[in-house]
Amino acid sequence: MKRKVKTLFEALAMPEGRGVTVHRSIGRQGMSELDPFLLFDEMVLPKDSGDAGFPNHPHRGFETVTYMLSGRMEHGDAVGNKGVIGPGDAQWMTAGRGIVHSEMPVASDEDVHGFQLWVNLPNAKKMIPPRYQEVSKDDIPTVEGDGYEARLIAGTLGGTSGPVTDITAAPLYADITLTEEEAHLPIPVGHTAFIYGIQGGLSIEGQAFPTRTLAVLDDGDSVTIKGRVGARFLLIAGAPINEPVARYGPFVMTTREEIIQTINDWNKGKFLSPS
Ligand code: FE2
């Protein structure tokens, strides 16, 4: 059965980090979460933004996925992980029991343009050790499908699997460009799924929507997307976790007690600090 658009959310511009404007569609008033997703930001940072960025900050209880369209971002953390991701690269960070890291743009003649998605962890995995999976653009396969071409960061499409694996929510994360005016894409039944337009208007079962708008899909095994050849969008899906969500800024746990414990741990310096 084909999926239709359940709801449209226009991204809201809001300040984040130090001097950055993000366009947030999940994790804001009206849509605090879309199980298993906790936050979805489009980030555009003009090249002359000085020292704007995301200096050291903590996370606990979930995973973050960063995907870059242009510009470069450097990340660093306490465990010695350090790296730069550039256009077409991705980074999947499991905060688990706690991480303190920074995400700062690298000066270049390009604007920084990318996306960050927060994926929840089930309660049983919230305190696992932190880790990074950094994915170079060269390791992201291109899938030619029915009316589309996809860069596949995570999940399976047309028999191909993306390089990011071993994630509880079994996510599908694909950067898709229409090669015909109509594309047909499979999506696992029962998984939460959304489409986010990057370039060109799109239409699903008669519901049109512009870029910088998140279309939540209803359930089904596939979606038909119409638009001009060259229209580009993200298709993101994942298995719902079906647990309560208790959040406080960069900490996302299951209960209020766990959030209080997390704040206590943070205040007592029980998170790793950058070296
Ligand atoms: Fe972060």
Side-chain angles (χ1 to χ4, degrees):
M1 200 174 108
K2 281 188 193 177
R3 292 184 184 233
K4 299 185 290 295
V5 174
K6 189 156 75 176
T7 333
L8 291 176
F9 285 94
E10 193 182 338
L12 277 181
M14 57 178 69
E16 188 53 274
R18 183 170 68 201
V20 183
T21 297
V22 296
H23 301 271
R24 183 163 295 167
S25 41
I26 303 176
R28 64 166 173 87
Q29 207 170 15
M31 184 156 57
S32 61
E33 72 236 15
L34 183 67
D35 187 15
F37 307 115
L38 301 165
L39 178 141
F40 186 65
D41 281 350
E42 179 178 0
M43 156 186 69
V44 183
L45 196 53
K47 56 180 179 283
D48 50 2
S49 296
D51 65 352
F54 305 92
N56 283 331
H57 58 278
H59 293 293
R60 176 183 276 183
F62 58 99
E63 306 184 271
T64 68
V65 189
T66 307
Y67 178 57
M68 300 296 293
L69 296 185
S70 70
R72 308 175 87 76
M73 292 280 281
E74 179 173 32
H75 67 90
D77 77 1
V79 209
N81 293 298
K82 207 172 177 59
V84 174
I85 53 171
D89 298 340
Q91 183 212 68
W92 203 290
M93 184 195 79
T94 304
R97 66 184 173 224
I99 200 162
V100 181
H101 77 158
S102 63
E103 302 156 288
M104 297 297 293
V106 178
S108 78
D109 56 1
E110 261 192 340
D111 293 347
V112 172
H113 187 193
F115 298 93
Q116 188 164 90
L117 176 73
W118 292 9
V119 187
N120 203 6
L121 283 167
N123 189 261
K125 292 195 172 175
K126 282 188 177 290
M127 297 298 275
I128 60 176
R131 67 168 179 172
Y132 284 91
Q133 295 185 73
E134 203 164 283
V135 183
S136 153
K137 64 180 187 303
D138 301 331
D139 295 326
I140 295 176
T142 299
V143 179
E144 310 279 345
D146 185 354
Y148 67 89
E149 187 180 275
R151 301 190 72 242
L152 186 58
I153 293 115
T156 301
L157 208 50
T160 301
S161 289
V164 176
T165 56
D166 194 21
I167 306 286
T168 305
L172 170 67
Y173 194 124
D175 172 1
I176 298 172
T177 302
L178 293 182
T179 54
E180 295 171 34
E181 290 180 352
E182 184 174 305
H184 304 274
L185 286 140
I187 303 175
V189 174
H191 283 207
T192 302
F194 69 84
I195 303 273
Y196 188 86
I198 299 174
Q199 190 180 311
L202 299 168
S203 166
I204 297 173
E205 306 301 321
Q207 173 70 66
F209 54 97
T211 56
R212 206 160 274 178
T213 298
L214 186 145
V216 181
L217 304 181
D218 65 5
D219 204 3
D221 62 6
S222 61
V223 64
T224 296
I225 300 173
K226 295 182 180 178
R228 289 192 180 164
V229 171
R232 187 177 181 190
F233 57 92
L234 297 179
L235 166 60
I236 296 177
I241 290 173
N242 294 314
E243 290 179 357
V245 172
R247 65 197 290 169
Y248 180 78
F251 310 135
V252 185
M253 304 301 286
T254 314
T255 66
R256 189 167 174 272
E257 289 68 30
E258 289 168 348
I259 285 290
I260 292 167
Q261 181 65 50
T262 299
I263 294 168
N264 284 339
D265 287 351
W266 171 244
N267 287 336
K268 287 178 188 160
K270 286 193 184 172
F271 280 50
L272 292 167
S273 295
S275 48

